[in-house]
Amino acid sequence: MSPESDGEAAGSVRIGRGAIAALASAFPYPPGRVFLVSSPGVLRFHGGAVRRALAGREVVEIAAEDGERAKTFDTLRAILDAAIEAGVRRDDAVVALGGGTVTDVAGFAAAILLRGIAWYAVPTTLLGMADAAIGGKTAVDHPLGKNLVGAFHPPSGVLVDPDLLATLPPDRFREGLVEIFKGLLVGNAAAARKMAGRLETLAGTREVDDFLGAAIRVKLAIVGRDPRESGERRVLNFGHTLGHAIEAASGYRGWSHGEAVAVGMAAALSISSRTEGFPAADALVLAAELVRFAGKAAPKWSEALEGALSKDKKGEAAGLTGVLLSDWGRPVMRKVPPAEWRRSLEALSGGEGTMPSPDAS
Amino acid sequence: MSPESDGEAAGSVRIGRGAIAALASAFPYPPGRVFLVSSPGVLRFHGGAVRRALAGREVVEIAAEDGERAKTFDTLRAILDAAIEAGVRRDDAVVALGGGTVTDVAGFAAAILLRGIAWYAVPTTLLGMADAAIGGKTAVDHPLGKNLVGAFHPPSGVLVDPDLLATLPPDRFREGLVEIFKGLLVGNAAAARKMAGRLETLAGTREVDDFLGAAIRVKLAIVGRDPRESGERRVLNFGHTLGHAIEAASGYRGWSHGEAVAVGMAAALSISSRTEGFPAADALVLAAELVRFAGKAAPKWSEALEGALSKDKKGEAAGLTGVLLSDWGRPVMRKVPPAEWRRSLEALSGGEGTMPSPDAS
């Protein structure tokens, strides 16, 4: 049961093609009902398989839209209302089937229903499988920023079935590749070197099972050591400090999460090579690949960007902590003044090895 | 800091007349700002003392109405919005000043702001001092039931200053006495025997410091052993299974929490003497005192009551667990079928030693 499982903050993860068929037996469940939270779109693709897998259980379906725009307090409240109207009890469990939005919001609902009931994640996007559904961070957005309200509430089980990715649109697949590459860069040098230079190829072949598995193992190891993000876990925000600022400064329009994080990683690599000893030639090549893969030129510095950077919730009063790399797989954290982010963005758009291509998503 | 403090689920409690003056030095605080959540009514009485005590800190005041009717999702959201609009950071802290509603809602807000920031409780009611503010259970109500959405998020400090009770209306004081007596009945036989027969007297003299301290110690000990209410902590619900049902069946009108719990305790004592070996003569006298102190005749059995009992969130699918006593200070838990609650209510209203008096609140 999740409420007692701070010691198992990473949760139990099952990975395998076709694993969805064994959803009901993959994990121990509490004896009550299953509240299946998912969107009509996802249910159209995967509802049949999930309902068959849960055929032996009493299932209550709760509709929740997917996509960042639905990651709101109102969506949360609708899930809470539906569960409460169905008479939710402490021995019921939530199963969240969908992308990062649905697992984040449904997981948060499970965290606060009756002060915490068990939940299980079945991510249907590559981003969700590699990152969002792993590790127990749940949240909703606020008009003033992302993930500002939430809870640490580890799922009691995460089922990762890459077969579910067959229906994922290309831009969503690309976004997941960026997160996988991020995980490997901070936690698995060998796998990161293997993946480098292949982002575009992998977006075509979709043969990512090995890299996905490696990225999940990186995240599980880090989260296991620091479930509450009081220290080391923050290295998983590599590329996200600037990435979130880019998304916020654009009003969450025009930049997808994956595009913004790819540019954020490129900028962080640029700083890393200047100040942390990350190999300069590698940084140039990687930054160029990331910006090219994002398919967008790095944004110009702006007041909106500076304002958004000052609101990132990871920062304490003294300034924003950035994640940099001293080498492949070797993250370091330190305060990065806005001027350094600005300089790195100017370097990226100044033609130092970067060749932005037209929007590729 | 609270987010890491599951091992200190009971929190740090300071008790003393005049302790409010030392609020700023009573506990360690994170280095950021203080979000003081309170109601205009409470601030009118105690705002001066609290502001003086926090004079060295940067304080952001957030208004939140007190009273069960304000214990809603909307109040929660208003607190979250105000904190986010003020740019809340992880090194800020919430100080909740007020009754059980304000400490429950503000504590819940602290639990989910940025996935959990530290909070401190300064209860201003006897109920809050004896019970609500102690132990880390936070929540809001839902139209379909009380405390259905919330979190376990222990305060990093609880400051109990009985001097603040000078302005508490008589009916609120009586309600607190009921909770104190409940705590002693389940956890301190000697103090409970001393308090028995004196409820009405204590409501007049208000000399309750010793009983209050004893009740807090009972709660701290139990919560320390079972912070997540997976077992023993449920004994603190003595009188509350039926009490909550009475409140819900009345639509939260006509019965105060204290009145309903007093009658719930009387009914539980009646059952305890029939089936658990609680001394029958003592049960009769105690039940009579509790019903008389509630100032209300025990309610007639009704469909609304039976329906409300079946929705209590403490119950798992098989039925409702009741807390009974095998002796003074010796709680036992077992399933209590509705028929037994019904019979106990009929016994109470059947004149078996009970003599309801006119409304005394």
Side-chain angles (χ1 to χ4, degrees):
Chain A
M1 298 277 294
S2 179
E4 281 79 27
S5 67
D6 280 354
E8 311 158 358
S12 164
V13 180
R14 299 293 165 92
I15 315 178
R17 292 198 172 261
I20 191 75
L23 174 59
S25 57
F27 314 104
Y29 293 85
R33 293 167 296 172
V34 167
F35 289 84
L36 176 63
V37 180
S38 192
S39 70
V42 165
L43 284 174
R44 203 152 46 233
F45 288 130
H46 309 300
V50 169
R51 291 185 188 111
R52 274 192 302 280
L54 295 173
R57 310 285 313 228
E58 188 180 345
V59 176
V60 177
E61 295 194 9
I62 297 178
E65 281 306 318
D66 222 316
E68 193 75 31
R69 227 166 294 181
K71 200 171 154 180
T72 63
F73 224 72
D74 289 333
T75 302
L76 171 71
R77 194 162 178 171
I79 295 171
L80 296 172
D81 283 343
I84 291 169
E85 276 156 26
V88 59
R89 292 167 180 272
R90 288 189 174 170
D91 61 357
D92 294 330
V94 167
V95 171
L97 171 73
T101 294
V102 160
T103 52
D104 273 12
V105 181
F108 185 28
I112 61 179
L113 275 168
L114 310 184
R115 297 198 184 90
I117 63 173
W119 78 289
Y120 302 80
V122 185
T124 59
T125 64
L126 191 53
L127 175 66
M129 293 177 186
D131 197 47
I134 312 278
K137 279 168 72 170
T138 70
V140 296
D141 295 338
H142 185 275
L144 293 179
K146 290 177 69 166
N147 298 320
L148 293 182
V149 179
F152 290 96
H153 187 54
S156 296
V158 182
L159 187 137
V160 173
D161 181 349
D163 277 351
L164 303 186
L165 299 172
T167 52
L168 193 68
D171 58 330
R172 306 298 304 281
F173 197 89
R174 299 174 73 87
E175 156 181 272
L177 283 175
V178 172
E179 291 293 341
I180 289 174
F181 194 41
K182 173 211 76 177
L184 301 183
L185 274 174
V186 301
N188 186 331
R193 287 184 189 277
K194 210 165 151 188
M195 191 171 178
R198 298 183 59 195
L199 290 175
E200 201 60 60
T201 305
L202 290 168
T205 66
R206 296 200 168 195
E207 287 168 359
V208 293
D209 292 21
D210 290 349
F211 294 123
L212 172 60
I216 290 173
R217 284 190 295 276
V218 165
K219 179 146 190 186
L220 289 174
I222 292 173
V223 170
R225 291 191 295 266
D226 178 21
R228 294 280 185 158
E229 195 170 273
S230 46
E232 184 193 357
R233 182 168 178 169
R234 299 187 192 187
V235 303
L236 292 167
N237 291 315
F238 182 69
H240 283 66
T241 305
L242 181 59
H244 282 160
I246 291 173
E247 285 182 274
S250 79
Y252 300 97
R253 285 183 298 273
W255 284 84
S256 77
H257 182 67
E259 292 163 355
V261 169
V263 170
M265 289 166 64
L269 283 161
S270 164
I271 297 175
S272 298
S273 72
R274 272 203 309 278
T275 66
E276 308 302 320
F278 191 91
D282 292 357
L284 268 185
V285 173
L286 287 174
E289 179 181 9
L290 284 161
V291 173
R292 202 162 51 233
F293 190 70
K296 280 199 162 60
K300 300 253 175 273
W301 190 252
S302 66
E303 274 183 32
L305 211 49
E306 186 156 3
L309 272 166
S310 78
K311 265 196 211 107
D312 187 299
K313 76 172 179 304
K314 270 82 187 182
E316 267 109 45
L320 279 179
T321 299
V323 182
L324 305 172
L325 296 174
S326 64
D327 201 347
W328 297 72
R330 294 190 170 271
V332 290
M333 282 183 284
R334 69 161 171 87
K335 305 280 180 201
V336 178
E340 258 185 284
W341 289 116
R342 176 177 191 163
R343 186 173 158 199
S344 70
L345 276 182
E346 286 165 358
L348 290 181
S349 54
E352 296 185 29
T354 73
M355 303 198 308
S357 69
D359 193 321
S361 62
Chain B
M1 299 273 295
S2 179
E4 281 77 30
S5 67
D6 280 355
E8 311 160 357
S12 165
V13 180
R14 300 292 165 92
I15 315 178
R17 292 200 171 259
I20 191 75
L23 174 59
S25 56
F27 315 105
Y29 293 85
R33 292 168 297 173
V34 166
F35 289 83
L36 176 63
V37 180
S38 192
S39 69
V42 165
L43 283 174
R44 202 153 45 233
F45 288 130
H46 309 300
V50 169
R51 290 186 189 110
R52 274 192 302 279
L54 295 173
R57 311 283 313 224
E58 189 181 344
V59 176
V60 178
E61 295 195 8
I62 298 178
E65 280 306 317
D66 221 315
E68 192 76 30
R69 228 167 291 181
K71 199 172 154 181
T72 63
F73 224 70
D74 289 333
T75 301
L76 171 71
R77 194 163 178 171
I79 295 171
L80 296 172
D81 283 343
I84 290 169
E85 276 156 27
V88 59
R89 292 168 179 272
R90 287 187 176 173
D91 61 358
D92 295 329
V94 167
V95 171
L97 171 73
T101 294
V102 160
T103 53
D104 272 11
V105 181
F108 186 29
I112 60 178
L113 275 168
L114 311 183
R115 297 197 184 91
I117 63 173
W119 78 289
Y120 302 79
V122 184
T124 58
T125 64
L126 190 55
L127 175 65
M129 293 178 186
D131 196 49
I134 312 278
K137 278 170 72 170
T138 70
V140 296
D141 295 337
H142 185 276
L144 293 179
K146 289 178 71 166
N147 298 319
L148 293 182
V149 179
F152 290 96
H153 186 55
S156 296
V158 182
L159 187 139
V160 173
D161 181 350
D163 277 351
L164 303 186
L165 299 173
T167 52
L168 193 69
D171 58 331
R172 306 297 304 282
F173 197 90
R174 299 174 73 87
E175 155 181 272
L177 283 176
V178 172
E179 292 293 339
I180 290 174
F181 194 41
K182 173 212 76 175
L184 301 182
L185 274 174
V186 301
N188 186 330
R193 286 183 189 277
K194 210 166 150 188
M195 191 172 178
R198 299 184 55 196
L199 289 175
E200 201 60 60
T201 305
L202 290 168
T205 66
R206 295 200 168 195
E207 287 167 2
V208 293
D209 292 20
D210 290 349
F211 294 123
L212 171 60
I216 290 174
R217 285 190 294 278
V218 165
K219 180 148 190 185
L220 289 174
I222 292 173
V223 170
R225 291 191 295 266
D226 177 22
R228 295 279 186 164
E229 195 171 273
S230 47
E232 184 194 358
R233 182 168 177 170
R234 299 187 191 186
V235 303
L236 292 168
N237 292 315
F238 181 69
H240 283 65
T241 306
L242 181 60
H244 282 161
I246 291 173
E247 285 180 273
S250 79
Y252 300 97
R253 285 184 298 273
W255 284 83
S256 76
H257 182 67
E259 293 163 355
V261 169
V263 170
M265 288 165 64
L269 283 162
S270 163
I271 298 175
S272 298
S273 72
R274 272 202 309 278
T275 66
E276 308 303 319
F278 191 92
D282 292 354
L284 268 183
V285 173
L286 287 174
E289 180 180 10
L290 284 161
V291 173
R292 201 162 49 232
F293 190 70
K296 279 198 163 60
K300 299 253 175 270
W301 189 252
S302 66
E303 273 183 33
L305 212 48
E306 186 156 5
L309 273 167
S310 77
K311 266 196 214 105
D312 187 297
K313 74 173 180 304
K314 270 79 183 183
E316 266 110 44
L320 280 179
T321 299
V323 182
L324 305 172
L325 296 173
S326 64
D327 202 346
W328 296 72
R330 295 190 168 271
V332 290
M333 283 183 283
R334 69 162 171 87
K335 306 280 181 203
V336 178
E340 259 184 283
W341 289 117
R342 176 176 191 164
R343 188 174 157 197
S344 70
L345 276 182
E346 286 165 358
L348 290 180
S349 55
E352 294 186 29
T354 73
M355 301 199 309
S357 70
D359 193 322
S361 64

